[in-house]
Amino acid sequence: MDNRSEVRAFLTSRRARINSKQAGKPGLLRGEVAALAGVSLEFYSSLERGDLTGVSASVLDAVARALQLDDTETAHLHHLALVAGPVPAHTPRHAGAPDIRPAIRRVLNSMTGTPAFLRNHRFDVLAANALGQALCEPMFAGPVRPLNAVRFVFLDPTAQQFFVDWHQVARPAVDALRDAAARHPDDHQLMNLVGELSMRSEAFRAWWAAREGRVYRHATLRVRHPVVGELQLDRELLDVPEEDLTMETFTAEAGTAAGDGLALLATWAASSEYLAIRFSQRG
């Protein structure tokens, strides 16, 4: 059922009744609603055009709070989304998890001395080599699938123990996710992730609304590994443009404390003890 006109009228009327601090007149700006809801301006604009298809309950609730809807109005918004229906079959190519070409998997697995994993623009981790899984053991140990690196950073309490300088990892992750949202404005899964993180993480919500910062292609970060201790590593992002994928790699100079730690971690990753841990987690 096409209820776009009803959705459009409902959202615009509710936005119009709230005073705007920026405009100095009745009616919130679309950008203000988007910031309050923790979604991109492009995504909220698509909602006001009447497209509620596939929008998650968490995002609907965030929009309802931004528009100061009461319980009846919030229920009506959820009903409008229900009538709009689920995500259509002809979703954009980037909406689902892409197939990874065998050659790319071979490259990933051949990097036996370099921890690495492959992710998409939503930060869903699609594949990792053995050393990458060993290095990021706290992230891979979580029960939630699909595994998402940004969800781990903000919603898993072990992340702040794993990343020594948590803010230096978390803040750039918000900027990278915002950049992805600008490049993929039709990706409902991405916007649902943003909505979930905005609802459950105060830090994410504040940084997303700030709209400041930049995307870094390389950085130095420190991790506190449960087996080999603290490591200072250089992270590099290597793009696979045709598949819209990114390979994250972590290296350290040979002969340094971090280099020795990675070598020790590689030995541990090949041990029967580590293999037993990985098998029990998958089983």
Side-chain angles (χ1 to χ4, degrees), residues 186-262:
D186 299 324
D187 188 340
H188 284 272
Q189 293 183 50
L190 175 57
M191 297 312 165
N192 287 342
L193 173 64
V194 171
E196 177 191 1
L197 294 172
S198 298
M199 288 188 65
R200 299 178 60 187
S201 170
E202 183 177 351
F204 182 92
R205 184 165 59 250
W207 286 332
W208 183 270
R211 299 181 178 275
E212 299 173 355
R214 52 171 293 190
V215 178
Y216 293 92
R217 305 299 302 168
H218 56 85
T220 299
L221 71 150
R222 294 187 297 159
V223 300
R224 187 180 294 109
H225 194 274
V227 173
V228 298
E230 187 173 313
L231 302 173
Q232 180 168 306
L233 304 170
D234 294 316
R235 182 180 68 175
E236 295 285 343
L237 304 182
L238 308 175
D239 288 334
V240 187
E242 289 186 3
E243 282 79 8
D244 193 20
L245 301 176
T246 298
M247 187 178 295
E248 294 204 15
T249 65
F250 305 86
T251 62
E253 188 175 350
T256 63
D260 293 342
L262 280 183

Side-chain angles (χ1 to χ4, degrees), residues 170-184:
R171 180 56 194 270
V174 177
D175 298 325
L177 208 60
R178 184 185 294 108
D179 178 70
R183 290 184 289 109
H184 301 281

Side-chain angles (χ1 to χ4, degrees), residues 258-282:
D260 293 342
L262 280 183
L264 178 59
L265 188 61
T267 301
W268 179 68
S271 69
S272 58
E273 176 187 2
Y274 174 75
L275 293 175
I277 292 173
R278 294 307 305 159
F279 181 79
S280 65
Q281 289 173 350
R282 291 171 182 167

Side-chain angles (χ1 to χ4, degrees), residues 45-75:
S45 296
S46 74
L47 300 186
E48 276 211 1
R49 289 194 294 270
D51 184 11
L52 291 182
T53 305
V55 179
S56 70
S58 62
V59 171
L60 293 173
D61 288 337
V63 170
R65 285 195 301 273
L67 294 175
Q68 301 177 22
L69 304 185
D70 60 26
D71 290 345
T72 301
E73 292 170 322
T74 300

